[in-house]
Amino acid sequence: MPWLLVIVAGLLETGFAVCLKLSHGFTRLWPTIAFAAFALGSFGLLTLALRRLDVGPAYAVWTGIGAAGTAIYGMIFLGDMVSTLKLVSISLVIVGVIGLQLSGGAH
């Protein structure tokens, strides 16, 4: 169950990063409200998960999901540049998180 919380928190991190961009420096009301809701949800779920998980692997998964998810969302929906290097780098983030999990650092 704690890992499910980390995964959902990572997806919410993607949401708050995207909404942060869409808020245009907190000048747009609804994206700003969505940013706050996603951020509170993400940090709240991560906090609950950290009661039972080691901080290193949990944080790596949370940030990995958030970073990869935000980059992918930006390329698909926000017109961010797509390049081979960017796609390889996202893949390396995901492989790194999986490697950390397989290394025995998680319980």
Side-chain angles (χ1 to χ4, degrees):
M1 183 65 169
W3 282 112
L4 179 60
L5 295 177
V6 172
I7 291 167
V8 174
L11 294 172
L12 292 174
E13 183 187 3
T14 297
F16 83 67
V18 170
C19 288
L20 186 60
K21 176 176 177 62
L22 297 176
S23 76
H24 291 275
F26 300 125
T27 61
R28 294 187 175 164
L29 179 63
W30 293 113
T32 299
I33 290 170
F35 160 78
F38 282 128
L40 286 172
S42 181
F43 286 116
L45 291 178
L46 181 62
T47 299
L48 292 175
L50 288 176
R51 291 180 179 174
R52 304 205 39 217
L53 298 174
D54 291 342
V55 69
Y59 185 75
V61 170
W62 180 70
T63 57
I65 291 169
T70 302
I72 292 166
Y73 186 95
M75 288 185 287
I76 293 171
F77 298 108
L78 300 177
D80 289 356
M81 183 185 75
V82 178
S83 69
T84 302
L85 181 58
K86 189 179 278 190
L87 295 173
V88 168
S89 298
I90 291 168
S91 299
L92 289 172
V93 168
I94 294 167
V95 168
V97 168
I98 291 169
L100 184 60
Q101 290 297 86
L102 295 177
S103 72
H107 295 99

